[in-house]
Amino acid sequence: YIVRNRMTNISSYGLDSIHSKKILPASEILSERFSSLIFDLDGTILDSMSAWGDVDKVFLEAKGHKVTKDYTDFVKNTDVWTAAEYTKNRYHINMPVQEIIDSWDQLISQAYSSTIMAKPGVASFIANCKRLGMRIACATALSRKNAEAGLLNNGLLHFFDDVVTLDDIGHKIDKSSPEIFLESMDRLGENCQEKCLVFEDLMNALQTASSSGFSTCAVYDSINDFEWESSVNLASFFVKDWKYCK
């Protein structure tokens, strides 16, 4: 499973060599085991987590509040509706929950269509997987508008057989339930979790997918550095840097 140029970079992963067998294999090897791939979007394909931090900062500061670490830790791990409810109650914001969500959406939409970029190397990896005949879905807590805008802006949308979003599952979509992964599998025409590999940056999503029978790949994002080693221990594979994935 290990190609030489990845082994030379294992020390930079901040993990000891016992984890080397979990480095994501080359796409040709993956295609022998998996017929379908399910990718998260924010923090996995797109380098977008800092953009959401900017939205929180702009929104709360306009109302006289500051973003705190515990606030960020909560909202990044939950669905958008619960995050808006939490924001409203914590900061006593006199706005309906849907209006808070709409305000966030106005702030973030332009970024997805213009400035949020794919992580270096992920496009070529996805293209290789598609070339090898694997079916590919995106499973994201974003709205369809923002998910497709982010993929289209980075030239990736055409690689995906389906995009499963907040609009398809409903506002309770925090990946503590496997519903979005099972829906993605079904849309790809797959009937066996063992033939699907799920890519996620968040520990809670990896736990859900793993406990539901999916193989998983942990993807590093700096915002989740504190849980990275735990994610690697849990997942079947890991990616620290897409540039080393072929």
Side-chain angles (χ1 to χ4, degrees):
Y1 282 178
I2 302 164
V3 295
R4 185 169 299 173
N5 71 328
R6 285 178 219 160
M7 279 300 294
T8 62
N9 287 280
I10 185 67
S11 61
S12 70
Y13 282 20
L15 299 164
D16 85 38
S17 60
I18 196 170
H19 293 94
S20 62
K21 292 181 179 179
K22 285 193 168 189
I23 298 175
L24 185 71
S27 52
E28 288 86 354
I29 297 173
L30 284 178
S31 68
E32 296 172 3
R33 177 173 170 184
F34 302 105
S35 53
S36 298
L37 308 178
I38 300 172
F39 287 86
D40 172 53
L41 194 54
D42 281 329
T44 298
I45 292 176
L46 299 181
D47 192 8
S48 52
M49 300 307 284
S50 63
W52 278 103
D54 292 341
V55 165
D56 293 337
K57 186 173 186 292
V58 169
F59 179 81
L60 288 174
E61 287 187 355
K63 301 185 181 310
H65 305 291
K66 290 189 178 298
V67 175
T68 61
K69 183 181 183 300
D70 63 306
Y71 173 82
T72 299
D73 288 344
F74 181 84
V75 298
K76 77 181 182 184
N77 280 301
T78 193
D79 62 275
V80 67
W81 188 270
T82 302
E85 285 183 328
Y86 176 74
T87 302
K88 175 182 172 67
N89 294 331
R90 173 169 174 159
Y91 295 106
H92 307 291
I93 293 173
N94 188 26
M95 294 170 65
V97 170
Q98 186 59 55
E99 191 174 330
I100 293 173
I101 294 170
D102 292 343
S103 296
W104 290 344
D105 189 65
Q106 289 173 9
L107 290 167
I108 201 68
S109 289
Q110 185 175 0
Y112 277 107
S113 61
S114 59
T115 60
I116 291 174
M117 304 306 295
K119 293 186 171 185
V122 69
S124 60
F125 175 77
I126 291 173
N128 286 341
C129 291
K130 193 66 177 177
R131 175 180 56 80
L132 290 163
M134 285 183 270
R135 297 184 293 275
I136 305 175
C138 175
T140 175
L142 289 173
S143 67
R144 178 167 299 280
K145 176 184 70 174
N146 287 336
E148 292 187 348
L151 290 170
L152 186 63
N153 182 53
N154 285 280
L156 294 171
L157 185 59
H158 67 287
F159 291 124
F160 287 82
D161 297 282
D162 215 319
V163 178
V164 184
T165 73
L166 175 74
D167 301 327
D168 301 303
I169 305 299
H171 66 250
K172 298 294 286 185
I173 177 174
D174 62 1
K175 296 186 178 176
S176 61
S177 162
E179 183 178 1
I180 193 167
F181 302 122
L182 296 171
E183 177 69 17
S184 299
M185 181 180 76
D186 184 60
R187 292 191 186 192
L188 290 174
E190 194 65 71
N191 57 17
C192 178
Q193 283 97 319
E194 288 79 6
K195 298 296 289 181
C196 295
L197 179 60
V198 173
F199 295 81
E200 282 281 355
D201 65 309
L202 291 178
M203 179 75 172
N204 70 324
L206 289 166
Q207 289 172 326
T208 299
S210 295
S211 65
S212 302
F214 293 93
S215 293
T216 57
C217 180
V219 180
Y220 180 79
D221 193 84
S222 59
I223 199 169
N224 299 313
D225 186 72
F226 70 97
E227 63 183 16
W228 173 238
E229 188 162 1
S230 296
S231 292
V232 171
N233 287 334
L234 171 68
S236 312
F237 307 107
F238 73 91
V239 171
K240 182 70 182 287
D241 190 331
W242 284 112
K243 294 194 297 289
Y244 299 117
C245 299
K246 304 298 180 187

